[in-house]
Amino acid sequence: MARWDAILSLPVQNPPSLEISSDDLVWSKVEGWHDKLDRVAIIPFARVADFVRGESNNKECPTRFHVEARRRRPPTFKQKVDGILEYILYWCSFGPDDHRKGGIVRPSRSTYVPKKKNAGRPNTKRGCTCHFIVKRLIAEPSVALIIYNDDKHVDKKGVPCHGPQDKKAAGTIAEFAPYISEDLRLRVLSLLYVGVSVETIMQRHNESVEKQGGPSNRDDLLSQRYVRRQEREIRRSSYELDADDSVSIDKWVGSHQNNVFFYEDFSESDPFILGIQTEWQLQQMIRFGNCALLASDSRFGTNKLKYPVHSLLVFNSEKKAIPVAWIITPRFSCLDAHRWMRALYNRVHTKDPHWKLAGFIVDDPHYDVLAIRDVFQCSVLISFWRVRHLWHRNIIKCLETDMQIKISKRLGWIMDNIFRRQGTMSLFEDFVEDFIDEPNFMEYFKATWYPRMGAWVDALRTLPLASQESCAAMEYYHNQLKIRLLNEKDINVYQRADWLVDKIGTKVHSYYWLDECSDKDDFARYWKNEWMSGLTSWRKALKIPDADVIMEDGCAKVKDEHDQDKAYIVWNTGSMLSICDCDWAKDGNMCEHILKVFRICRNRGSVPPSISLLQYHQVLNNMLRCPPFDSLIRDHAVSLAVSVQKQLNTLLDKDSIQTARGSNEKRVDIDIHRLNSRVASAAQDEALVCERQVIKDILSRGAACGVSDITGHADMDVDETVSNNNALLEKKTTGLITIGSGISASKNGAVFYEINEDICKNNNGMDVDPPPLDTTS
């Protein structure tokens, strides 16, 4: 029992990386069989596949591990401390048999007749002895005990038998891994799913190998036979696994367990819910969602599909939306959301225990905000893009140009007042009465939106508003998904859930995977409409020169990028419901011309600052009015300020801070120790009030100028800043607020707040997302 006491006392190791290798773990020696010492470590059982993948991708000796033996015991087995619930033996695919001349083949395989197809095994077995054992203990079913005694890729003689260290393997397949990488496998499948032929794939692959001077890894040895076999399997597959739709879905879930994070079939009390997330989507969620935003597109396909598609999105480095999960359910229910949210959160945390959201963007006022805060422990923002999109599209469809301008201007003014908490539902009542003579649009508005506006007004007055940049990315994703999913000639398939699940998991997923692939341009000549990918409207607006915009009385003209003699007219300049005569705007979308004109109006001061910026400063002001009530909160505030200070110091060039300052640059010194003592004494201390007033003045100056990025980049938004500060506010944590372009510390512990009034000249006046600061202390 001493052996098991030592094993069960070991810590569970869970490195925050997508793959785990033996180098990432701390190995312990415990007593084994025959007086030997076993090299062991404990990891979560859910991460065994990550460990196998990490060991396979060993740079010194790339290989692949296969399951050589497996044993399972039923859950009803008698509970014992040393009982094994599951035993898995993983062996390097270049072993254990040795098919080389003079090699040893195990006696159990002496009567084995080789097949024409080697069932996924490498062409040559070379007697590699590298293997490890995974045991799932009955005492701790959630963890896996890894026994890794033979970690060298050598044969029984102790000589390297494959890989770069084996001189005899040079020039053969044994020099590389036995199989192609997961990345190349996904690339081949994705290209096949979107319609690229086998010949084209091989032609482009061979050209790239020739450019680099010959094969240098296993992926360079891709064979046409393998690609042809994958194409044949795709061609012969069918989404209809059974005539009964529900039975077909059950079969699909059973064969795609790795891509399903939540599944509940119909019952008397609960609806059907299916949550889909592939391994690639999970990686993107961890990569782009950590300390960042997660957005929801919850209403796709409500009019055409049997079950609407609920998408969860993250934003990549180009601020384009990437789907990281799809939830398919016949109806959107607040009570159902908490269950699949918890399952998704647990799946992500299994991979990265330190993963944390900065904010969650919802697009429905009935979304379960409390569930989001409970599961993800983050602030919640709301997006208005869907309402604006539908209003805009129906205004264009139902009204003449003059009335389009009047109604859109009025609706934009109403929503702006509601965003700034200066309006109520009475504004919509007056709007309906004033435009009662326009029955085409008013009937639509009263039937569809008037009953819903009460919930929308309450949500918009209580939740921070998502930025234009985020809304543009979500709108672009929605249009992409419509083109890529709803393009079937037979519309009857839209009423089958198995078709929807199959197409989302194959073709649609392939399009988004290829969007992030660096080699996508190699197949540009084969693109179809479904390949539509490019910059969002917000990014396109940044590329329009100011000289191409001509401001006139009541409207603006924006020259076409390709034809300077052609110009687009934007009415209601500066309003969130501006009207443009370009094709993209006529479909109800927010085009780049509207966003560009909006930016120029804001820079000129003809429109107020953005709603996101206003709400951001409201949060900061609320934090300043909330004095710490005990020493614990005070100490946390001081440590928070120091933490933020250290992060900013790593981003700033200290030399530039200590050298010449502009004449317009001002600095306010606040001593931490002095502030600490005054907070402890009383919030009404006159000196403390004065210092807070200084910070408020800084805030007001920042509201007029805009918030500058720490790194000096001019294009930023405040969504994540609002999220982080809201999270601090919810925890009742008061800290020192960092505003402006720089912050540094002197030797006596003082914190310098530096406000550069030149921000006004650099601020582009548009809503963007800043890099979030880690405010943990």
Side-chain angles (χ1 to χ4, degrees):
M1 293 302 294
R3 164 183 166 85
W4 287 105
D5 290 340
I7 290 175
L8 294 176
S9 65
L10 295 176
V12 179
Q13 303 180 57
N14 191 7
S17 55
L18 297 177
E19 295 179 353
I20 305 176
S21 67
S22 59
D23 295 335
D24 299 327
L25 302 177
V26 178
W27 297 90
S28 303
K29 296 284 188 177
V30 298
E31 182 183 354
W33 303 109
H34 303 294
D35 297 329
K36 293 183 179 179
L37 293 178
D38 287 336
R39 184 168 171 260
V40 301
I42 294 180
I43 65 172
F45 187 80
R47 302 214 62 186
V48 170
D50 298 332
F51 180 77
V52 175
R53 189 164 52 250
E55 280 299 284
S56 300
N57 295 333
N58 188 342
K59 295 182 178 180
E60 296 181 358
C61 190
T63 183
R64 184 71 60 88
F65 285 85
H66 66 271
V67 177
E68 184 68 19
R70 183 195 296 264
R71 292 194 302 270
R72 290 193 181 97
R73 283 190 174 128
T76 57
F77 188 77
K78 182 180 179 181
Q79 297 284 335
K80 295 193 302 182
V81 174
D82 58 346
I84 305 300
L85 192 63
E86 188 170 0
Y87 171 95
I88 310 174
L89 172 61
Y90 287 95
W91 209 291
C92 174
S93 292
F94 285 102
D97 294 335
D98 192 351
H99 292 172
R100 297 177 298 179
K101 185 177 180 180
I104 300 175
V105 179
R106 289 170 295 174
S108 60
R109 306 295 178 90
S110 59
T111 58
Y112 175 73
V113 179
K115 299 179 180 179
K116 292 183 180 179
K117 297 182 179 179
N118 41 29
R121 296 292 184 93
N123 294 332
T124 304
K125 293 289 186 176
R126 306 176 70 86
C128 183
T129 60
C130 182
H131 67 279
F132 58 88
I133 298 171
V134 175
K135 292 184 178 181
R136 191 176 188 180
L137 307 179
I138 293 179
E140 293 288 344
S142 62
V143 301
L145 172 66
I146 300 180
I147 304 175
Y148 205 170
N149 294 328
D150 298 284
D151 60 338
K152 304 298 182 183
H153 293 273
V154 296
D155 55 19
K156 290 186 178 297
K157 299 178 182 179
V159 179
C161 55
H162 65 91
Q165 297 178 357
D166 183 11
K167 297 180 180 180
K168 295 182 179 180
T172 67
I173 196 174
E175 183 181 3
F176 311 110
Y179 307 102
I180 63 174
S181 65
E182 182 67 12
D183 186 72
L184 181 59
R185 188 187 72 84
L186 285 175
R187 180 188 177 191
V188 170
L189 287 176
S190 298
L191 290 172
L192 292 173
Y193 275 125
V194 302
V196 180
S197 65
V198 175
E199 291 75 14
T200 302
I201 294 175
M202 291 306 304
Q203 180 183 353
R204 294 292 182 270
H205 177 78
N206 294 333
E207 290 175 356
S208 63
V209 173
E210 290 178 2
K211 287 181 180 179
Q212 67 182 20
S216 60
N217 54 55
R218 178 61 182 87
D219 288 350
D220 294 339
L221 302 178
L222 178 68
S223 65
Q224 185 168 352
R225 177 186 176 188
Y226 172 82
V227 181
R228 181 73 66 185
R229 186 168 65 250
Q230 299 298 319
E231 186 270 338
R232 185 168 57 250
E233 291 178 0
I234 293 174
R235 181 164 29 90
R236 293 177 178 177
S237 63
S238 173
Y239 68 84
E240 191 172 345
L241 304 178
D242 191 274
D244 189 335
D245 199 14
S246 59
V247 176
S248 182
I249 285 290
D250 285 337
K251 291 182 177 180
W252 186 92
V253 172
S255 59
H256 295 79
Q257 286 292 330
N258 293 335
N259 296 340
V260 176
F261 70 88
F262 187 84
Y263 175 63
E264 281 191 1
D265 204 351
F266 281 104
S267 65
E268 295 180 357
S269 59
D270 298 321
F272 159 79
I273 304 177
L274 175 60
I276 302 174
Q277 185 183 59
T278 64
E279 182 67 25
W280 174 78
Q281 288 179 308
L282 177 59
Q283 294 174 5
Q284 303 308 302
M285 187 172 182
I286 294 174
R287 177 184 176 187
F288 295 113
N290 189 31
C291 297
L293 296 173
L294 184 69
S296 167
D297 180 15
S298 62
R299 299 286 181 179
F300 181 86
T302 52
N303 297 328
K304 289 188 177 182
L305 298 175
K306 179 181 180 180
Y307 299 146
V309 178
H310 181 185
S311 303
L312 294 182
L313 315 171
V314 294
F315 304 100
N316 64 7
S317 56
E318 297 179 349
K319 294 301 178 182
K320 291 176 60 177
I322 303 175
V324 293
W326 289 296
I327 299 92
I328 299 173
T329 181
R331 61 181 175 86
F332 182 76
S333 173
C334 297
L335 299 177
D336 304 327
H338 190 279
R339 290 179 292 169
W340 62 256
M341 281 183 189
R342 178 61 65 183
L344 180 63
Y345 180 83
N346 291 340
R347 190 180 197 212
V348 176
H349 260 237
T350 301
K351 291 276 189 179
D352 186 358
H354 305 293
W355 184 87
K356 183 176 178 59
L357 274 183
F360 193 110
I361 302 177
V362 300
D363 64 346
D364 192 316
H366 300 290
Y367 220 108
D368 193 350
V369 174
L370 295 179
I372 296 173
R373 289 172 176 165
D374 177 56
V375 174
F376 293 103
Q377 297 292 314
C378 68
S379 297
V380 181
L381 299 88
I382 191 165
S383 169
F384 196 67
W385 80 268
R386 188 185 302 279
V387 180
R388 192 212 63 80
H389 173 83
L390 295 174
W391 284 1
H392 194 159
R393 189 176 64 182
N394 282 274
I395 287 173
I396 298 296
K397 182 172 64 175
C398 301
L399 302 171
E400 298 295 332
T401 303
D402 293 340
M403 194 53 62
Q404 291 175 9
I405 299 173
K406 293 179 181 179
I407 288 183
S408 62
K409 184 176 182 179
R410 181 69 172 273
L411 285 174
W413 176 81
I414 291 174
M415 296 312 303
D416 190 70
N417 279 273
I418 291 175
F419 291 148
R420 299 179 189 278
R421 301 180 182 179
Q422 299 172 357
T424 60
M425 277 295 296
S426 61
L427 296 178
F428 288 104
E429 297 173 0
D430 297 339
F431 167 74
V432 173
E433 293 179 1
D434 293 344
F435 293 95
I436 195 69
D437 296 333
E438 299 297 330
N440 292 334
F441 179 75
M442 283 301 145
E443 289 178 1
Y444 158 78
F445 184 83
K446 288 189 292 184
T448 306
W449 291 105
Y450 194 76
R452 307 179 186 177
M453 290 315 298
W456 271 104
V457 170
D458 292 341
L460 292 171
R461 290 170 63 90
T462 56
L463 297 177
L465 185 67
S467 67
Q468 291 178 348
E469 181 185 28
S470 301
C471 292
M474 296 167 67
E475 186 177 61
Y476 188 81
Y477 164 79
H478 191 86
N479 284 279
Q480 263 189 332
L481 187 60
K482 186 183 299 182
I483 294 174
R484 293 172 173 180
L485 182 61
L486 303 178
N487 57 2
E488 297 293 329
K489 296 180 180 179
D490 182 12
I491 60 175
N492 294 324
V493 298
Y494 296 157
Q495 301 307 310
R496 288 194 63 98
D498 53 0
W499 166 85
L500 176 61
V501 169
D502 178 76
K503 186 163 186 179
I504 279 183
T506 55
K507 277 193 174 182
V508 175
H509 179 272
S510 298
Y511 283 121
Y512 288 105
W513 190 92
L514 289 171
D515 285 344
E516 301 300 309
C517 180
S518 58
D519 299 332
K520 179 183 176 181
D521 293 337
D522 294 344
F523 300 90
R525 59 180 296 186
Y526 304 98
W527 289 2
K528 302 177 183 178
N529 292 333
E530 293 85 351
W531 285 66
M532 184 194 76
S533 180
L535 299 177
T536 63
S537 298
W538 191 91
R539 290 279 170 171
K540 291 179 180 178
L542 295 178
K543 294 191 172 184
I544 300 177
D546 292 348
D548 288 353
V549 181
I550 303 174
M551 304 296 295
E552 297 181 355
D553 186 17
C555 67
K557 292 183 178 180
V558 183
K559 294 182 180 180
D560 186 84
E561 180 182 1
H562 305 289
D563 185 2
Q564 290 293 311
D565 296 331
K566 182 180 179 181
Y568 300 102
I569 301 177
V570 178
W571 292 276
N572 297 337
T573 57
S575 171
M576 66 170 294
L577 281 173
S578 300
I579 301 292
C580 182
D581 59 355
C582 69
D583 294 336
W584 186 250
K586 288 180 180 178
D587 291 335
N589 303 305
M590 179 77 81
C591 67
E592 62 269 25
H593 313 111
I594 293 176
L595 292 172
K596 180 63 179 182
V597 173
F598 195 82
R599 171 201 171 185
I600 291 180
C601 291
R602 183 166 291 165
N603 285 345
R604 294 182 178 182
S606 57
V607 296
S610 69
I611 305 298
S612 299
L613 188 62
L614 174 66
Q615 293 172 339
Y616 169 63
H617 288 106
Q618 287 175 348
V619 171
L620 296 181
N621 279 310
N622 291 336
M623 293 177 67
L624 289 172
R625 296 191 186 101
C626 181
F629 55 87
D630 61 15
S631 60
L632 179 63
I633 300 298
R634 183 184 67 248
D635 294 341
H636 181 82
V638 175
S639 62
L640 175 66
V642 174
S643 174
V644 175
Q645 166 198 324
K646 290 180 179 178
Q647 293 179 67
L648 291 173
N649 282 341
T650 61
L651 297 175
L652 295 173
D653 184 1
K654 296 182 180 180
D655 295 334
S656 64
I657 296 176
Q658 297 172 357
T659 53
R661 303 177 181 271
S663 58
N664 293 329
E665 198 174 62
K666 299 180 180 180
R667 187 177 67 186
V668 180
D669 297 352
I670 300 179
D671 193 298
I672 289 180
H673 305 294
R674 181 163 53 91
L675 180 60
N676 189 3
S677 61
R678 290 180 180 180
V679 173
S681 61
Q684 291 80 14
D685 190 331
E686 181 178 358
L688 178 60
V689 172
C690 293
E691 287 179 348
R692 288 188 175 182
Q693 187 59 45
V694 171
I695 300 177
K696 289 182 180 180
D697 294 340
I698 294 174
L699 289 177
S700 62
R701 188 180 296 112
C705 301
V707 180
S708 174
D709 191 349
I710 296 169
T711 58
H713 192 270
D715 305 329
M716 63 167 292
D717 197 352
V718 294
D719 277 358
E720 295 180 11
T721 312
V722 172
S723 304
N724 291 335
N725 284 285
N726 276 341
L728 293 175
L729 183 59
E730 290 167 2
K731 296 178 182 179
K732 297 181 180 179
T733 301
T734 304
L736 303 178
I737 312 301
T738 28
I739 308 289
S741 60
I743 181 171
S744 60
S746 66
K747 295 181 179 179
N748 60 2
V751 177
F752 300 104
Y753 287 84
E754 303 174 8
I755 300 299
N756 190 346
E757 295 181 355
D758 291 336
I759 294 174
C760 294
K761 300 178 182 179
N762 297 326
N763 182 34
N764 65 1
M766 298 181 66
D767 291 337
V768 294
D769 296 322
L773 290 174
D774 181 13
T775 56
T776 57
S777 59

